Amino acid sequence: MREIIDPLPFVIAAYAIGIGGTAAMIVWSWILMRRAEMRREKSREL
Amino acid sequence: MHGFANPARFLRIARWLTPLLLLCGIAVTAGALALGLLTFPPEWIQKDAVYIILVHVPPAWLGMAGWMAIAVASLVELVWRHPLAGIAARAAALPGAVFTAICLITGSLWGRPTWGAWWVWDLRLTSMLLLLFLYFGYMALAGAAQRDGGSGRVAAIFGMLGAINIPIIHYSVIWLNLQHQRPSLSMGNSAIDTVYLWPLLGAMVGFSLIFGGVVLLRMRAILADQQANARLRRKAMAGVGAGAAS
């Protein structure tokens, strides 16, 4: 007999991972870029 | 193409293009996901699990497109010595790996309620998992070349050779009768109903714009790091030269 599974928790988890993972990647890449550009500006002042 | 070889010119364009791509990408993705969640009727076999299509198919496409971008940029780096091509290849690796991982996880979450299994070792899933490991290998090689001051040629060759996996991923469901379904999207003849098609195409465009924005962010970070390192090295050499002269 086929097991009946409620798909809703799986849908919620998939959206959390899809949206959360993408958002985390954007924020992390933005922070790394800002940090690198500030380091470049500091190297100019030295 | 060589018009963009000048990092200063590239930075001038990237400064306004990066937020534009990211903001448009977020808006289009949010709109497409909202449209899908509000208008999708439950599919007669999969029921509500069909909603997962919007966060599974676009990352799958971008996982493969990311590696193709690495392969093309690596070819341009090796053949034409384009100074930004190697940087673009390295910048595409992380978003490609993230989207491949999202595709694998959301696929697993889709498989459990529809197939009754989190994972099956069929060629489509296995070649997608191999793609994730290829991304890890590429990032390790490119990172090592950057740390040791190498040319990055090995990473570029690896990037081109790894592209062999992309047609295997794509055609595996056409060549073989697998657990994974055959492709529903194709140019001009999609097997998917329009009620699912338009939000899906919107999500693919939105996630692709985000991918482009993240690649630009990472290219700017790599360029800024290189420029800071070069400047610090020049100043250190000038300090050593002045010390030796006195």
Side-chain angles (χ1 to χ4, degrees):
Chain A
M1 201 176 77
R2 191 162 177 265
E3 184 187 6
I4 296 172
I5 301 168
D6 177 13
L8 203 59
F10 295 90
V11 173
I12 294 166
Y15 273 74
I17 286 162
I19 296 169
T22 307
M25 177 179 66
I26 294 170
V27 171
W28 188 40
S29 299
W30 183 270
I31 290 169
L32 282 184
M33 187 271 292
R34 291 295 305 150
R35 212 179 276 168
E37 290 193 341
M38 277 162 60
R39 188 167 161 257
R40 180 177 58 194
E41 294 313 309
K42 270 189 191 152
S43 74
R44 246 179 223 153
E45 292 160 11
L46 282 175
Chain B
M1 191 171 65
H2 283 275
F4 295 100
N6 180 343
R9 185 176 298 164
F10 164 77
L11 282 174
R12 264 202 309 279
I13 297 167
R15 273 195 196 105
W16 60 264
L17 192 57
T18 310
L20 185 71
L21 285 178
L22 287 174
L23 291 174
C24 288
I26 291 166
V28 172
T29 304
L33 296 187
L35 184 67
L37 289 171
L38 292 173
T39 62
F40 270 14
E43 205 261 350
W44 74 286
I45 294 174
Q46 302 186 34
K47 311 289 183 237
D48 288 340
V50 73
Y51 289 119
I52 298 176
I53 196 172
L54 294 178
V55 285
H56 175 70
V57 175
W61 135 251
L62 287 168
M64 291 190 281
W67 195 277
M68 287 315 293
I70 290 175
V72 171
S74 298
L75 180 73
V76 172
E77 181 191 9
L78 286 177
V79 176
W80 288 284
R81 311 237 178 249
H82 194 296
L84 288 177
I87 292 173
R90 277 174 51 204
L94 183 103
V98 167
F99 280 122
T100 304
I102 290 173
C103 162
L104 288 167
I105 297 168
T106 55
S108 185
L109 287 163
W110 201 358
R112 181 71 184 101
T114 51
W115 297 344
W118 295 100
W119 183 264
V120 289
W121 289 101
D122 79 4
L123 186 58
R124 168 56 79 91
L125 277 69
T126 308
S127 53
M128 206 65 195
L129 182 64
L130 177 65
L131 179 65
L132 183 63
F133 293 142
L134 287 173
Y135 272 117
F136 292 156
Y138 178 84
M139 286 190 283
L141 284 172
Q146 188 193 5
R147 267 195 314 278
D148 306 338
S151 66
R153 186 172 293 186
V154 176
I157 292 168
F158 184 81
M160 287 180 356
L161 288 178
I164 294 167
N165 191 38
I166 301 300
I168 294 174
I169 296 172
H170 180 72
Y171 288 106
S172 58
V173 288
I174 298 168
W175 292 333
L176 302 168
N177 189 19
L178 302 176
Q179 177 78 47
H180 193 284
Q181 67 168 66
R182 288 171 161 265
S184 305
L185 288 176
S186 59
M187 286 290 185
N189 187 28
S190 291
I192 190 167
D193 192 275
T194 49
V195 75
Y196 302 111
L197 182 65
W198 290 111
L200 177 59
L201 290 177
M204 289 178 79
V205 170
F207 276 111
S208 301
L209 292 172
I210 291 173
F211 184 94
V214 171
V215 169
L216 287 183
L217 280 177
R218 299 188 68 77
M219 285 181 76
R220 285 170 63 180
I222 295 167
L223 266 174
D225 266 332
Q226 283 184 350
Q227 287 168 344
N229 289 341
R231 196 167 286 138
L232 291 171
R233 253 196 317 273
R234 271 200 308 274
K235 283 183 177 164
M237 294 297 282
V240 169
S246 65

